Amino acid sequence: MPVIDSLRRFLPAPTAAAIAVLAGACVVPPPEDSSDSWNAVREETLPALPAPDVLPLTRQGRYTLVELAPEAAQRDLMRQLVEISIPSSLEATVGETLHHLLRQSGYRLCDSPDAALAALPLPAAHRRLGPMTLSDALLTLAGPAWKLSVDDFSRQVCLTRRAPEVSETPPDANATDWRGQP
């Protein structure tokens, strides 16, 4: 009992004896022969789990695992996050801001943008946009009267006017305004 002898040098006799008794109680008995039948029953009753898809991962640093796959914004460039800030000292137009927004996105404005939209002054509310997706930023700058169309082959973005909505019901001749006057 070399362990107990070494414990006697450092610990009093009752403490060493208690540690030896507790350490002896931690011995695990050998498995019984009936464990094979229990595993067979267990395998029959549990449903088979689907095999997990293997994700290619790499370790980056000590505690970080990185998935080796492109992000959603890298697959679909219109989902990339953008943020712009136009100083109020510049007299910017909507067209200039659209070009500025698309500069680093991988897209360009189509060759024939509508001059009416491009010449409009940039509203103060649009001087700072984001973070938001590129498609949301383009639609915000253009407004609800414009429709966004994207040509992924040539990476062009076009804004076209929406068709005016036609009312199904004709205006009522007896209708009054908010003051109650016809």
Side-chain angles (χ1 to χ4, degrees):
M1 294 256 181
V3 173
I4 294 179
D5 291 335
S6 63
L7 287 175
R8 284 185 192 167
R9 282 189 236 153
F10 300 109
L11 299 173
T15 307
I19 292 174
V21 170
L22 290 175
C26 294
V27 175
V28 178
E32 298 178 8
D33 294 336
S34 65
S35 64
D36 294 333
S37 62
W38 185 80
N39 284 338
V41 171
R42 183 173 174 253
E43 288 175 2
E44 291 174 6
T45 58
L46 293 177
L49 296 175
D53 293 335
V54 178
L55 296 174
L57 298 173
T58 186
R59 183 175 303 277
Q60 186 178 39
R62 187 170 180 179
Y63 300 108
T64 305
L65 289 177
V66 178
E67 183 179 349
L68 298 175
E71 295 178 8
Q74 291 172 327
R75 287 188 190 121
D76 181 8
L77 292 176
M78 292 304 285
R79 293 177 59 187
Q80 63 184 298
L81 293 179
V82 296
E83 185 172 3
I84 61 168
S85 181
I86 306 294
S88 60
S89 61
L90 296 176
E91 296 293 326
T93 63
V94 173
E96 292 169 348
T97 308
L98 288 171
H99 283 288
H100 177 72
L101 182 62
L102 292 173
R103 185 173 296 140
Q104 297 292 321
S105 69
Y107 286 98
R108 60 188 171 96
L109 207 53
C110 62
D111 296 331
S112 60
D114 196 323
L117 175 65
L120 291 174
L122 185 66
H126 292 170
R127 292 205 171 264
R128 186 186 178 293
L129 291 177
M132 62 176 62
T133 62
L134 179 61
S135 60
D136 287 341
L138 291 169
L139 288 170
T140 301
L141 284 172
W146 299 88
K147 184 175 82 169
L148 178 68
S149 59
V150 179
D151 181 7
D152 287 323
F153 182 73
S154 63
R155 288 197 180 166
Q156 284 189 344
V157 174
C158 292
L159 293 162
T160 55
R161 290 184 190 190
R162 290 187 186 269
E165 295 180 15
V166 179
S167 176
E168 297 280 331
T169 59
D172 187 10
N174 297 328
T176 58
D177 64 1
W178 61 273
R179 293 174 288 178
Q181 299 175 354

